[in-house]
């Protein structure tokens, strides 16, 4: 036994010596060594799907807006009002309703923020109630308590970059800043500054499902602006989906689940969340519907939580109790028309 113990000690010592030799042989280049000395989590991608949790609730909002961006203007106008942020998809999406007033008029807008799990970034989509359509999205993320989001848009016919920054975040306050660049990001001009202060003691906006008569719709007598009022509330849903489209398939897959539709802009927009399950898997989706008062039509946007990407809108209206909406999409490399019908309401 003593001999075996000595052999074991010798083997351990030999292995240790071999390990030291290999370590010396495999010693990385100094530049590589410097890189590898960084903390292991320094390059790891962080999961930011709850970065906007701090903002859920109701806020008092003060907005300063540059009157004419990218023109050399130094004139700012002020607005005061409220914003309400409701969580969607258990926090990895959210919807903001903004309503402010000032000497320059009334602003009513919304922002839909979606988390994209593949890129681990957020997309921000904005719409005003006057236009009833979403602007091109801004994409970005939070780092060290600061969110920065950038995208392309147009201003007076010219392509520009847009940057949106969220900073000075505390439990009860935060700051939002928008800037334009007409020279590919070399210089930026700030044109929108909003400071929010939390309103305490009020219910979060996610609890409200009852639509109210919108003052804009009432003023114009536009009944189309409330075409989706019938759907406000909670529903049990049954879906049937053709297993393969435009392929002669006769096999349908059934899904069952629930949906909740909440009003936005007093019913001139709404957001629907639904979850369904089938033998093919789980679907967690979201629909944002916006009314355009100029065309008197609705835009229907769809997103799936699996990728957090908002599809292009389907556009249409209600006539004689039927809602009919169209768009053109790509399916297996081909351009196809898509039609969506609402009936038997």
């Amino acid at each position: 036994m003593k001999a075996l113990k000595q052999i074991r000690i010798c083997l351990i010592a030999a292995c240790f010596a071999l390990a030291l030799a290999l370590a010396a042989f495999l010693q990385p280049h100094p530049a590589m060594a410097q890189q590898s000395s960084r903390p292991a989590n320094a390059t790891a991608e962080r999961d930011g799907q709850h970065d906007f949790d701090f903002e859920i609730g109701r806020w008092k909002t003060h907005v300063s807006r540059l009157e004419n961006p990218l023109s050399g203007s130094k004139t700012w106008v002020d607005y005061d009002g409220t914003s309400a942020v409701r969580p969607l998809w258990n926090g990895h999406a959210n919807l903001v309703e903004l309503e402010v007033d000032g000497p320059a008029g009334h602003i009513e807008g919304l922002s839909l923020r979606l988390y994209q799990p593949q890129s681990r970034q957020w997309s921000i989509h904005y719409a005003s109630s006057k236009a009833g359509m979403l602007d091109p999205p801004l994409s970005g993320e939070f780092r060290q308590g600061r969110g920065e989001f950038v995208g392309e848009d147009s201003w007076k016919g010219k392509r520009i970059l847009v940057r949106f920054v969220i900073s000075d975040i505390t439990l009860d306050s935060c700051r939002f800043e928008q800037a334009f660049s007409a020279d590919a990001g070399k210089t930026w001009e700030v044109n929108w500054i909003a400071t929010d202060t939390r309103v305490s003691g009020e219910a979060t906006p996610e609890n409200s499902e009852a639509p109210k008569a919108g003052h804009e719709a009432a003023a114009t007598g536009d009944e189309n602006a409330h075409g989706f009022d019938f759907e406000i509330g909670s529903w049990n849903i049954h879906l049937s989906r053709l297993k393969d489209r435009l392929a002669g398939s006769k096999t349908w897959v059934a899904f069952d689940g629930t949906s909740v539709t909440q009003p936005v802009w007093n019913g001139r927009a709404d957001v629907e969340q639904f979850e369904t399950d089938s033998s093919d898997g789980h679907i967690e989706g979201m629909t944002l519907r916006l009314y355009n008062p100029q065309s008197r039509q609705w835009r229907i946007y769809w997103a799936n939580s699996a990728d957090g990407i908002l599809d292009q809108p389907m556009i249409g209206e209600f006539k004689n109790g039927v809602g009919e909406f169209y768009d053109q999409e790509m399916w297996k490399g081909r351009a196809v028309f898509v039609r969506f019908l609402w009936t038997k309401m």
Side-chain angles (χ1 to χ4, degrees):
M1 291 296 295
K2 185 176 181 181
L4 289 175
K5 186 175 181 180
Q6 290 175 342
I7 291 173
R8 188 180 298 119
I9 292 172
C10 290
L11 286 173
I12 292 173
C15 291
F16 182 69
L18 179 61
L20 289 175
L22 284 172
F25 177 75
L26 297 175
Q27 185 70 26
H29 188 276
M32 295 176 62
Q34 183 179 3
Q35 182 178 4
S36 63
S37 67
R38 296 167 60 190
N41 62 354
T43 57
E45 290 184 283
R46 59 182 295 276
D47 184 356
Q49 64 177 314
H50 289 283
D51 281 339
F52 279 101
D53 282 4
F54 76 92
E55 204 188 352
I56 303 304
R58 298 182 183 273
W59 303 77
K60 291 182 180 179
T61 299
H62 176 79
V63 173
S64 296
R65 180 177 65 85
L66 188 63
E67 199 161 43
N68 193 7
L70 300 180
S71 68
S73 171
K74 303 297 181 183
T75 303
W76 289 77
V77 290
D78 292 329
Y79 301 79
D80 286 284
T82 59
S83 63
V85 185
R86 69 183 79 181
L88 307 171
W89 288 343
N90 295 318
H92 49 282
N94 61 82
L95 185 77
V96 184
E97 279 188 80
L98 171 74
E99 191 164 4
V100 294
D101 291 278
H106 180 75
I107 297 176
E108 187 178 34
L110 66 80
S111 288
L112 177 66
R113 291 103 162 231
L114 302 175
Y115 184 68
Q116 300 171 349
Q118 284 77 27
S119 66
R120 299 189 179 227
Q121 290 187 318
W122 287 84
S123 62
I124 298 179
H125 309 257
Y126 177 80
S128 74
S129 63
K130 290 183 178 180
M133 65 181 72
L134 291 175
D135 290 342
L138 308 179
S139 297
E141 59 197 295
F142 283 84
R143 291 183 179 179
Q144 298 179 347
R146 181 179 183 271
E148 185 169 335
F149 309 87
V150 179
E152 290 188 352
D153 205 340
S154 61
W155 179 257
K156 296 185 176 180
K158 185 176 182 179
R159 299 300 296 175
I160 62 169
L161 290 179
V162 181
R163 183 181 66 192
F164 192 67
V165 174
I166 304 175
S167 62
D168 300 340
I169 299 170
T170 72
L171 290 175
D172 298 313
S173 63
C174 51
R175 173 189 169 95
F176 306 89
E177 181 182 287
Q178 177 183 271
F180 289 171
S181 174
D183 55 10
K186 295 178 182 177
T187 60
W188 294 90
E189 180 186 71
V190 176
N191 57 58
W192 175 284
I193 300 172
T195 53
D196 282 11
T197 305
R198 185 180 298 278
V199 176
S200 59
E202 289 194 24
T204 57
E206 61 178 316
N207 298 325
S208 173
E209 291 184 356
K212 297 174 287 185
H215 61 83
E216 290 184 13
T220 61
D222 187 355
E223 294 298 328
N224 296 326
H226 289 274
F228 280 101
D229 279 6
F230 72 90
E231 207 202 346
I232 304 302
S234 301
W235 302 77
N236 293 320
I237 57 176
H238 176 78
L239 307 177
S240 297
R241 185 181 69 183
L242 195 62
K243 194 170 184 68
D244 194 9
R245 275 72 77 192
L246 300 179
S249 174
K250 303 296 181 183
T251 303
W252 289 81
V253 179
F255 294 77
D256 286 283
T258 60
S259 74
V260 177
T261 302
Q262 299 170 320
V264 183
W265 295 340
N266 296 321
R268 288 167 286 120
D270 65 72
V271 59
E272 176 190 6
Q273 301 176 78
F274 74 88
E275 288 194 59
T276 60
D277 291 280
S278 77
S279 57
D280 274 8
H282 180 75
I283 297 177
E284 185 180 28
M286 176 194 304
T287 301
L288 177 67
R289 308 179 183 103
L290 303 178
Y291 183 68
N292 185 322
Q294 281 75 41
S295 65
R296 297 197 172 192
Q297 291 183 313
W298 286 84
R299 277 175 164 77
I300 300 178
Y301 299 84
W302 155 260
N304 189 318
S305 66
D307 57 22
I309 297 174
L310 205 64
D311 289 346
Q312 64 188 41
M314 306 191 75
I315 302 174
E317 59 195 299
F318 288 89
K319 287 184 178 179
N320 302 318
V322 175
E324 196 164 346
F325 306 86
Y326 293 91
D327 78 339
Q328 188 176 21
E329 300 178 11
M330 299 301 294
W331 176 255
K332 295 183 177 180
R334 297 187 62 191
V336 300
F337 286 110
V338 183
R339 182 183 66 190
F340 192 65
L341 298 178
W342 288 83
T343 61
K344 300 181 181 180
M345 293 171 289

